[in-house]
Amino acid sequence: MEIGMSTEMYPPNICGRHCLGPLSFHKGALGTDVCLSLGGRRVERDRETFQNGLTFSSRPIRVQEKIHLRVECCDQHWHGALRLGFTIIPPSSSGPLFPPAMAIPDLTTTYGYWASIVPSSLIMPGAELRFWVTPRGMLVYEGPNGLRYKLLKGVDVTRPLWAMIDVYGQTRAVLLLGSEKKDLLKLRIRRSCPVPPPPSVSHRDSCMCVNEDHPCRTPQDYRLSADPIPTTQIDHSIDRDIAGDCVVCLSARASVVLPCAHRCLCLRCALRVTAEFGNCPLCRQSIRYSDEDRGIKS
């Protein structure tokens, strides 16, 4: 049993003693502009807004329980993208005005809520990702490229934790695919209750105006990329920090310029990414260095 966790906090293992229990979005704590479908596992935000998309897990999440998400829809004419995190505050006990418009900074300025932004370049329609909290209180994100990103540290793991998913900005809809957790001896993988296979992602439901390099064709009453969010509601320091830090370790400064011209990795992570994956984490372009470059880096 995890530290500080009571078995009474978790749902019964209806699929067997190794089942983690059902996993869906919390129906009693939803942003004002979202709706649920597919048994409470799919959440979609209204097209006309970038915010009011906060959601929470229907039950507490165990330490090291990896939550598996799929991005369903994106609207690139907004600023920013998905926010992920955890809270020790039970979502259903937070009052009638809960949840607020945004996870950051509306919740994260209060102790008991931890959330971090995910770079929008990693959030595309159909992208699958996982996130979890380690026994040391670190929030970890694993992107569709298979790389793991340390988003933040300091999460209180001595008390029950609910997952916090802010369907924000460019991210308009996500689907819970389930969760899994290795047992203490790492001899068995426990999973949440099985669910029916999800329908395929329809890319026509998304507005990919930035990637496709054409004017946005959304209705004119939507706020477009020229003025995506009122400036009073943007924490520019967060975006500058993400842009300047290595996108893999999020601790060292990005110092290596890849052949595709992206400056997104520190030297240590650049060597690892080149050896293990061979592609830029942002644009997926192959990393090919000349013999001279290899000599310099060796």
Side-chain angles (χ1 to χ4, degrees), residues 165-186:
I165 301 166
D166 192 356
V167 186
Y168 177 87
Q170 294 184 13
T171 309
R172 180 158 52 87
V174 297
L175 174 67
L176 275 174
L177 297 176
S179 65
E180 64 180 36
K181 180 184 184 299
K182 290 183 179 180
D183 65 15
L184 294 177
L185 299 178
K186 298 186 178 180

Side-chain angles (χ1 to χ4, degrees), residues 28 34 48 53 58-59 68 105 123 125 130 133-134 140 165 168 176 197 202 206 225 265 268 272 296:
V34 296
E48 299 188 21
S58 58
R59 61 167 171 83
H68 191 182
I123 304 298
R130 291 175 173 83
V133 63
T134 70
V140 180
I165 301 166
Y168 177 87
L176 275 174
S202 173
S206 297
S225 57
L265 298 169
R268 180 177 180 181
R272 175 192 166 194
I296 291 174

Side-chain angles (χ1 to χ4, degrees), residues 176-225:
L176 275 174
L177 297 176
S179 65
E180 64 180 36
K181 180 184 184 299
K182 290 183 179 180
D183 65 15
L184 294 177
L185 299 178
K186 298 186 178 180
L187 300 177
R188 180 184 294 108
I189 296 179
R190 303 176 62 189
R191 293 182 171 85
S192 57
C193 293
V195 295
S200 58
V201 172
S202 173
H203 292 267
R204 290 179 295 180
D205 294 336
S206 297
C207 172
M208 305 303 293
C209 51
V210 174
N211 273 20
E212 296 171 3
D213 194 27
H214 62 68
C216 180
R217 297 179 180 177
T218 55
Q220 292 183 358
D221 59 338
Y222 291 6
R223 194 185 307 275
L224 303 183
S225 57

Side-chain angles (χ1 to χ4, degrees), residues 6 19 51 54 56 61-62 90 93 101 125 130 157 160 180 185 206 208 224 259 262 291:
S6 167
C19 173
Q51 58 180 2
L54 259 169
F56 299 85
I61 302 298
R62 295 163 170 82
S93 65
R130 291 175 173 83
V157 296
E180 64 180 36
L185 299 178
S206 297
M208 305 303 293
L224 303 183
H262 279 129
D291 293 338

